[in-house]
DNA sequence: CTGTATCCTTAGGGATACTG
DNA sequence: CAGTATCCCTAAGGATACAG
């Protein structure tokens, strides 16, 4: 695995996030951490999109390297590892909310609960994470 | 070129945007249309990130197919084609703004003008597009 | 269970030539 | 200028086996 943090294609802020999240998998891991309270390798592995094990390991490393995620030993089970969002990772919340809002408007198949949409409209950002656990 | 609109991996709203924008190039075209007033093939081609011609043609087709962009003949020059964001495309603005805000916080190299950041903080969404032309 | 490693196929993408 | 087409290489990723 390689970390390409040095050779950015430009100094554009849009490009900056693409360097880390510009693929089909990385943001799904963030979603699982942020909205689904998943925190272990196996939980990520069994998401609907069926990420394969090598890709998952690669993306977790990249997210860790990017400072979006940290890995810790489970205090209750020393042989288990848990992943957590850092502050930098949690700060992706507004982006995730806007993405959800856009999809909810334009994808008739995306089944975001209405009560979530409503909460979104009432208080665009700064939502508590609890309400988000309802997202499919 | 193929359009994979049918075989979504899931009905998740996060996944929905990844199906269209989950790569390193597509969002840069949206950026050029939204923030840089670019509207022709050649203008996209000469962005800092140096997209190659085949990729650009492919992504423009996909964006058109996704209803994010429309292509029209330039009324002043019949042999010229112009691209525009649709309403669906313009609705990506809040996502783009949140992305910019996040990058500005975490990328010391991303040179977003301070006056833009300030405007962002004062009025999180619903900005006029004019102010955004200042983004590099 | 949490990963690594390997094998192999496909998709992404750079370079360049070419066409209307 | 606005693309298409082709060649070719590399990166992404699926499947599966294996290890701690």
């Amino acid at each position: 695995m390689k970390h390409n943090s040095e050779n950015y294609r430009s100094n554009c802020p849009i490009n900056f996030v693409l360097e880390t999240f510009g693929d089909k998998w990385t943001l799904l891991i963030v979603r699982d951490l942020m909205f689904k309270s998943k925190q272990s390798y196996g939980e990520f592995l069994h998401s609907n999109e069926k990420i394969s094990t090598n890709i998952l390991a690669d993306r977790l490393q990249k997210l860790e390297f990017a400072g979006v995620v940290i890995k810790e030993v489970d205090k209750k089970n020393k042989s288990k590892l848990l992943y957590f969002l850092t502050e930098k990772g949690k700060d992706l919340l507004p982006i995730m909310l806007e993405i959800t809002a856009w999809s909810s408007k334009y994808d008739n198949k995306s089944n975001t609960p209405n009560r979530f949409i409503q909460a979104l409209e009432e208080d665009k950002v700064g939502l508590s994470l609890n309400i988000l656990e309802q997202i499919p």
Side-chain angles (χ1 to χ4, degrees), chain A residues 47-109:
Chain A
S47 294
N48 287 336
E49 295 85 4
K50 303 294 175 209
I51 191 170
S52 63
T53 171
N54 53 343
I55 303 299
L56 175 58
D58 177 78
R59 296 309 135 86
L60 282 172
Q61 275 191 44
K62 282 182 176 160
L63 283 172
E64 207 182 346
F65 185 79
V68 172
V69 150
I70 48 168
K71 181 166 54 174
E72 285 180 9
V73 177
D74 187 357
K75 291 180 177 64
K76 289 159 185 164
N77 180 355
K78 293 285 202 145
S79 67
K80 192 173 188 181
L81 291 169
L82 298 179
Y83 295 85
F84 301 92
L85 287 173
T86 61
E87 278 307 300
K88 187 175 180 181
K90 290 176 185 171
D91 277 345
L92 292 167
L93 177 61
I95 298 177
M96 301 296 274
L97 293 181
E98 293 296 351
I99 286 175
T100 303
W102 188 85
S103 290
S104 302
K105 182 169 179 181
Y106 289 108
D107 180 20
N108 47 22
K109 276 177 297 194

